[in-house]
Amino acid sequence: MDQRHPLPGRPGSEPPPLEEPTEPREPLPPKSDQSGPETVGPTGRATGADRAAMAQGGAHLTTAQGLRLPDTDHSLKAGPRGPVLLRDHHLREKITHFDHERIPERVVHARGAAAHGVFRGYGTAAGVTKAAFLAKDAETPVFVRFSTVLGSRGSADTVRDTRGFAVKFYTGEGVFDLVGNNIPVFFIQDAIKFPDVIHAGKPHPDREIPQAQSAHDTFWDFVSLHTEATHHTLWNMSDRGIPRSYRMMEGFGVHTFRLADASGGTTLVKFHWKPKLGAHSLVWEEAQIAGGADPDFHRRDLADAIEAGAFPQWELGIQTFPDTPDQTFAGIDLLDPTKIVPEELAPVQPIGLMTLNANPSNYFAETEQVAFHPGHLVPGIDVTDDPLLAGRLFSYLDTQISRLGGPNFAQIPVNRPHAPVNDMLRDGMHQTAVHRGVAPYRPNSLDGGCPFTAGADAGGYTEAPVEVPAAPRGREAPASFDDHFSQPRQFWLSLSPVEREHVIAAYTFELSKCYENTVKERVLRTLANIDPRLCEEVAHGLGLPAPEPSEPPAEVEPSPALSQVGQEWPVAGRVVGIVTGESGDLDSVRAVRQAVFYQGLVPLVIAPRGGVLEDGAGEPVTVQRTFANARSVEFDALLLAGAPAAGADAHGARDAKAGNGGAGAPVDPRVLLMTAEAYRHAKAVGGWSDAGRVWEAAGIDPGAHGVVGGDNGRDVLDGVVRLLARHRVWDRFPATV
């Protein structure tokens, strides 16, 4: 691959030599796509230092105290075969640090991936908030972490689960954290039940299985007994539960927030992140294959896209509602986190653009140690009395103290604010600021009265003066929280026929993994109140009778904005596989590969073996994937530069995907498998030269929609790119509901 278009995935910033380097030199610089946290001190002051100053330096190995070491391969012993000596300070330091390299992983959202970026305000929010980072053309550094909810750090990326979408804005007024999900509603209405839903969703405590999955009895037992979870569960069983990429995933603030403008006026809002590439998902079989073939599918996709220069972007938008005493809109309780407001009733108004343009330089220091908290607010943004949000305001802070070893987690570089800090908080574990003065209290005179409080005119944060209703103390929810079925029914009716088929399949798969029939029957009763056809189809798949609904299905209007199908989107950053053989037409491969680059996509050449392919007529073609290690799930579209003959390793003992007798076949059986999978998953497939032999051998109708043939690779690519704009060839999936 020529250096004008380096492919993502190179481990270091320089190619390694074949032999072990022995000449001392400074550490290698980071790769061009990497960046560390901004160099601000623990008190928020910019240091002006190069970000590389945060990394270790020096050409020689040292102890943590800077003592140079001549050897790190052998313990200090009493003779070559003698006992190891307790006085070996280097051994003790090295082992002790290793013993403590792991910190407690997050209880939820343990498995994540992150990136640095920048947010630019449009200025369109000026009428509803005085938050300075939303002003026109204001640019704010951000750090974004995406995650799954249920799995451990070692789980797979493509499991069916809710995804976290957490954004840390390093504003000049302090840190603002918008901590949300890729689903706009939550399982529960009150935070006191959060431990219950997570205990139910996590692996069974007796066997610690299944990992990172909701397809088990305890989860469905809980959500069937708490029907307020119905709306979120339906979203999770839809394609939203298995996103194609973090880059193609919507984000939501979930709760209703309160914005305050410069004159003190308030507006209620819901936050939305809209991906520029559109919201797209995997199909279930793809998710399963990817979980085995590449458990890091989503984190690799995000990092590779950024390294390749295909920077993902999202628009931040808000739905606005009058801040009325009842805090409702169009009959919808805005304090109920299990409800949405359809975009047809309250359009999402764009207020800024976020671009992720750099990968972390160290996973632990940044992605693992970043600490989010919904209570990290800036002037102009306030919370509401959503009972789920109230619990999160306590829980996030409490969790960080436990997980990150004390109260000073804000001094970890990735968490440091980019605004001056003078908090009078002192000491504690991991205190890295060196405080001055003798009077960390107020009022004082010994430190000249400093620090001084700041009113609103000096940028001080003030809560909106909302009247608290007079009511008797008690443990109860408002009656408006009792409707658990109308919005799930609206979501169901808003989906396209193919998306409904996927929901039916998801419920059937998940419930078939449950042991107890009573749990399945209870879920079917819930589904009957959403839609009788949904309930009947799932019941049939489970071999159980479909119950009658306990209440008439709600009369609701569909919301087209809830469907992921039917629109066209940019194709930048999509991955295109180009299949060729040892003796293929490399001129056409070169031309198509270059054309793929110029259209903003990422081409990966797939061949029988690794290395380079040469024909003596042009530059060598670098092979990024082989028939042995490639699966269709990695590619959004597949291009066949002919019909490659079987590779030398195409036999079952070497590669079971090739089956028996693959060696010597006119078409490599792994190419047939890859092509058939791509076709089965409704992806665009194209080919030229004698690619028709692949269609025939794979049982694919060359005239089927989404199969693009031709004599010229460039023309075939153009046809495939047009299909990619709709994500999949949807009419290839038959639908009955």
Side-chain angles (χ1 to χ4, degrees):
M1 184 59 61
D2 65 22
Q3 292 304 306
R4 290 172 298 168
H5 302 292
L7 281 165
R10 173 173 287 173
S13 58
E14 293 181 9
L18 183 60
E19 303 297 336
E20 178 186 355
T22 57
E23 188 67 28
R25 59 169 291 179
E26 289 290 318
L28 294 179
K31 296 195 298 180
S32 60
D33 64 292
Q34 294 178 326
S35 176
E38 297 256 359
T39 52
V40 293
T43 55
R45 294 186 182 185
T47 65
D50 187 335
R51 292 191 188 193
M54 304 290 287
Q56 293 188 341
H60 296 89
L61 177 69
T62 73
T63 67
Q65 308 304 317
L67 176 69
R68 289 188 179 185
L69 293 165
D71 186 299
T72 191
D73 294 330
H74 307 93
S75 301
L76 187 65
K77 297 183 283 289
R81 299 178 59 79
V84 174
L85 302 179
L86 182 62
R87 61 168 290 177
D88 188 346
H89 63 93
H90 175 43
L91 169 68
R92 295 201 314 275
E93 179 188 72
K94 188 174 180 180
I95 294 297
T96 298
H97 194 281
F98 172 78
D99 290 344
H100 295 274
E101 279 182 1
R102 294 294 175 265
I103 63 175
E105 70 176 28
R106 290 167 168 86
V107 178
V108 288
H109 300 278
R111 181 171 180 82
H116 295 275
V118 64
F119 177 83
R120 179 174 58 84
Y122 290 163
T124 50
V128 291
T129 180
K130 60 185 178 182
F133 78 97
L134 295 174
K136 183 173 176 56
D137 294 331
E139 291 197 350
T140 303
V142 296
F143 189 77
V144 182
R145 188 178 189 272
F146 306 101
S147 56
T148 52
V149 171
L150 290 178
S152 68
R153 276 191 61 186
S155 59
D157 279 348
T158 58
V159 294
R160 184 179 294 281
D161 196 2
T162 305
R163 264 68 181 181
F165 194 129
V167 183
K168 185 176 289 291
F169 296 85
Y170 301 97
T171 87
E173 298 180 299
V175 167
F176 170 55
D177 287 345
L178 183 53
V179 195
N181 290 330
N182 73 320
I183 291 176
V185 291
F186 204 65
F187 286 107
I188 52 175
Q189 295 166 325
D190 192 307
I192 200 170
K193 285 187 278 194
F194 189 74
D196 300 312
V197 68
I198 298 304
H199 287 167
K202 285 285 190 177
H204 290 200
D206 54 350
R207 299 186 179 188
E208 186 63 12
I209 57 174
Q211 176 62 241
Q213 297 181 56
S214 54
H216 54 89
D217 287 81
T218 58
F219 173 81
W220 288 101
D221 180 46
F222 178 86
V223 300
S224 62
L225 291 169
H226 287 74
T227 52
E228 68 195 62
T230 301
H231 195 189
H232 186 118
T233 304
L234 187 60
W235 276 75
N236 219 31
M237 294 301 105
S238 77
D239 292 342
R240 305 281 186 150
I242 43 175
R244 158 64 182 85
S245 165
Y246 289 139
R247 299 177 293 126
M248 303 166 198
M249 190 175 80
E250 288 186 314
F252 304 90
V254 179
H255 310 284
T256 299
F257 291 81
R258 177 175 282 107
L259 301 186
D261 60 29
S263 62
T266 60
T267 305
L268 300 181
V269 303
K270 285 185 175 290
F271 289 107
H272 296 247
W273 289 108
K274 297 285 189 181
K276 283 289 193 177
L277 297 178
H280 307 295
S281 297
L282 300 168
V283 297
W284 181 228
E285 187 188 29
E286 275 186 300
Q288 292 175 298
I289 294 172
D294 185 5
D296 306 308
F297 185 77
H298 283 145
R299 60 170 65 180
R300 189 187 312 279
D301 172 87
L302 177 67
D304 282 359
I306 292 172
E307 186 177 351
F311 300 147
Q313 293 183 314
W314 290 259
E315 277 194 316
L316 178 62
I318 53 174
Q319 290 177 295
T320 61
F321 320 103
D323 191 358
T324 57
D326 61 1
Q327 298 178 90
T328 64
F329 180 81
I332 301 167
D333 192 328
L334 297 176
L335 299 186
D336 183 349
T338 68
K339 302 292 194 301
I340 66 165
V341 177
E343 293 184 32
E344 290 77 13
L345 296 180
V348 176
Q349 306 166 48
I351 61 173
L353 178 70
M354 180 172 71
T355 303
L356 299 186
N357 54 22
N359 287 313
S361 55
N362 184 275
Y363 184 92
F364 178 81
E366 299 172 86
T367 308
E368 185 63 23
Q369 290 197 121
V370 66
F372 296 95
H373 178 29
H376 292 164
L377 303 166
V378 293
I381 303 179
D382 201 352
V383 298
T384 58
D385 292 331
D386 176 337
L388 178 63
L389 178 56
R392 293 180 72 199
L393 293 172
F394 168 79
S395 179
Y396 277 67
L397 179 61
D398 190 49
T399 296
Q400 308 304 354
I401 292 173
S402 172
R403 202 175 70 84
L404 297 174
N408 292 310
F409 61 85
Q411 295 183 26
I412 296 171
V414 72
N415 295 322
R416 290 177 181 176
H418 296 183
V421 174
N422 195 348
D423 54 21
M424 293 195 302
L425 305 177
R426 293 293 185 267
D427 306 338
M429 292 184 67
H430 311 306
Q431 174 63 258
T432 59
V434 182
H435 295 103
R436 297 177 180 175
V438 296
Y441 52 84
R442 274 193 49 81
N444 77 74
S445 63
L446 297 179
D447 281 347
C450 189
F452 299 89
T453 57
D457 58 340
Y461 185 87
T462 55
E463 289 80 5
V466 179
E467 185 174 338
V468 178
R473 185 172 55 191
R475 298 184 181 273
E476 55 185 333
S480 56
F481 279 33
D482 291 341
D483 175 11
H484 299 165
F485 300 116
S486 63
Q487 287 213 345
R489 177 165 174 77
Q490 180 182 53
F491 181 71
W492 167 257
L493 295 177
S494 302
L495 299 180
S496 65
V498 68
E499 289 173 300
R500 293 186 195 178
E501 294 283 358
H502 292 166
V503 169
I504 291 169
Y507 270 104
T508 306
F509 176 90
E510 295 260 324
L511 293 171
S512 71
K513 295 288 187 176
C514 292
Y515 182 86
E516 298 291 351
N517 266 347
T518 51
V519 171
K520 304 175 190 177
E521 292 166 359
R522 203 183 304 132
V523 176
L524 290 174
R525 290 193 309 196
T526 299
L527 297 184
N529 288 338
I530 299 174
D531 186 85
R533 184 67 183 277
L534 168 62
C535 179
E536 290 164 8
E537 294 289 340
V538 175
H540 177 75
L542 297 174
L544 295 172
E548 294 295 319
S550 61
E551 57 186 67
E555 295 291 334
V556 292
E557 289 293 323
S559 170
L562 298 177
S563 173
Q564 295 185 131
V565 175
Q567 301 181 59
E568 293 192 355
W569 301 94
V571 298
R574 292 295 185 128
V575 181
V576 178
I578 305 173
V579 181
T580 187
E582 290 271 11
S583 57
D585 178 5
L586 292 188
D587 273 344
S588 69
V589 172
R590 294 185 190 99
V592 169
R593 183 190 62 177
Q594 199 69 16
V596 171
F597 269 124
Y598 285 147
Q599 298 213 39
L601 297 98
V602 177
L604 297 178
V605 175
I606 314 163
R609 59 172 178 79
V612 296
L613 302 177
E614 299 182 87
D615 58 3
E619 68 172 10
V621 174
T622 302
V623 176
Q624 287 82 39
R625 299 291 185 271
T626 67
F627 296 167
N629 69 19
R631 288 302 291 265
S632 66
V633 294
E634 186 174 5
F635 312 109
D636 295 293
L638 207 58
L639 299 177
L640 300 170
D649 62 343
H651 56 86
R654 186 76 60 82
D655 186 356
K657 297 194 300 300
N660 295 323
V667 179
D668 193 296
R670 295 163 299 181
V671 172
L672 300 181
L673 173 65
M674 197 183 321
T675 306
E677 280 181 353
Y679 182 84
R680 187 166 69 247
H681 299 152
K683 295 178 179 178
V685 292
W688 59 94
S689 185
D690 57 348
R693 292 199 292 121
V694 178
W695 311 146
E696 181 180 2
I700 295 172
D701 179 1
H705 190 42
V707 180
V708 183
D711 299 322
N712 182 292
R714 296 285 296 273
D715 292 341
V716 170
L717 173 63
D718 289 343
V720 166
V721 170
R722 285 193 293 272
L723 292 165
L724 269 178
R726 298 178 70 85
H727 182 54
R728 294 188 193 272
V729 185
W730 291 109
D731 24 355
R732 203 178 289 162
F733 285 135
T736 62
V737 290

